[in-house]
């Protein structure tokens, strides 16, 4: 087992960026400022399976949108942080509240603002559509693109490292 695979098996919390990870990075903005995004239903099942296996899930987004709140609440994601200016601090707050160490967390991101948190956690994961610097840094890069099953792939990767049937 490589170091990263071993760390993946010990992961107790998976945190995800939203834009470019749960979505393809695009969003629709109406004249009155309402944002809408497209989520993938297969990602939802992956998140549910992760939670069912006792792995905590968090989403940490730099933007703020009602659609994200609604979708993540629907999936019963216990930690939803939006409008986040400091993702490392947000994860530390969740870690403190849950008693989970940063080394037992995985983070999934796609862009430069994700790098400090990717460098802070035990397992760093980039999505296929991530920018080059992020993909170059991370322990893993998904085959699927954000919004097209990348989240599901990460959920299955974590569960399979833990020996959970999927
Ligand atoms: Mg992003």
């Amino acid at each position: 087992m490589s170091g990263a695979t071993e760390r993946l098996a010990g992961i107790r919390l998976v945190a995800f960026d939203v834009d470019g990870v749960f979505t393809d990075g695009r969003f629709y903005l109406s004249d009155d400022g309402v944002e809408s995004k497209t989520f993938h239903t297969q990602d939802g099942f992956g998140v549910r399976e992760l939670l069912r296996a006792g792995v905590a899930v968090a989403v940490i987004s730099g933007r703020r949108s009602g659609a994200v709140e609604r979708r993540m609440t629907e999936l019963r994601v216990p930690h939803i942080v939006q409008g986040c200016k400091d993702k490392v601090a947000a994860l530390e707050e969740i870690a403190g509240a849950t008693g989970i160490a940063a080394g037992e967390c995985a983070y999934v991101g796609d862009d430069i603002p994700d790098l400090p948190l990717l460098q802070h956690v035990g397992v760093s994961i980039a999505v296929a559509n991530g920018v080059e610097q992020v993909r170059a840094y991370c322990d893993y890069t998904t085959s699927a693109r954000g919004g097209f099953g990348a989240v599901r792939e990460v959920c299955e990767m974590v569960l399979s490292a833990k020996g959970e049937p999927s």
Side-chain angles (χ1 to χ4, degrees):
M1 242 197 238
S2 77
T5 314
E6 237 165 79
R7 292 200 303 279
L8 198 60
I11 287 305
R12 296 173 62 201
L13 181 141
V14 184
F16 297 90
D17 174 34
V18 176
D19 293 291
V21 172
F22 263 95
T23 74
D24 65 5
R26 297 181 305 162
F27 54 89
Y28 296 93
L29 197 54
S30 69
D31 288 349
D32 48 7
V34 177
E35 245 181 66
S36 41
K37 302 177 197 275
T38 305
F39 295 101
H40 203 298
T41 186
Q42 291 178 353
D43 286 344
F45 185 77
V47 167
R48 288 200 172 103
E49 289 296 287
L50 212 50
L51 290 168
R52 200 179 52 82
V55 178
V57 175
V59 293
I60 304 176
S61 175
R63 298 184 64 84
R64 189 179 288 282
S65 114
V68 170
E69 188 70 34
R70 195 179 174 118
R71 177 61 172 155
M72 298 309 156
T73 303
E74 185 180 76
L75 294 176
R76 304 215 166 100
V77 170
H79 309 283
I80 306 167
V81 184
Q82 294 206 73
C84 182
K85 299 280 171 273
D86 184 341
K87 292 189 174 195
V88 172
L91 184 94
E92 276 304 312
E93 196 170 312
I94 296 166
T98 54
I100 297 173
E104 299 172 310
C105 297
Y107 181 57
V108 189
D110 72 314
D111 210 345
I112 305 295
D114 298 312
L115 269 178
L117 184 48
L118 289 165
Q119 288 161 352
H120 185 71
V121 292
V123 177
S124 53
I125 306 171
V127 287
N129 52 300
V131 299
E132 207 275 328
Q133 294 97 313
V134 168
R135 283 183 289 115
Y137 174 78
C138 283
D139 297 311
Y140 296 96
T141 299
T142 62
S143 316
R145 298 173 61 83
F148 294 92
V151 169
R152 174 65 168 269
E153 188 179 329
V154 169
C155 296
E156 286 179 355
M157 192 195 295
V158 173
L159 290 175
S160 132
K162 288 179 168 298
E164 292 274 340
S166 60

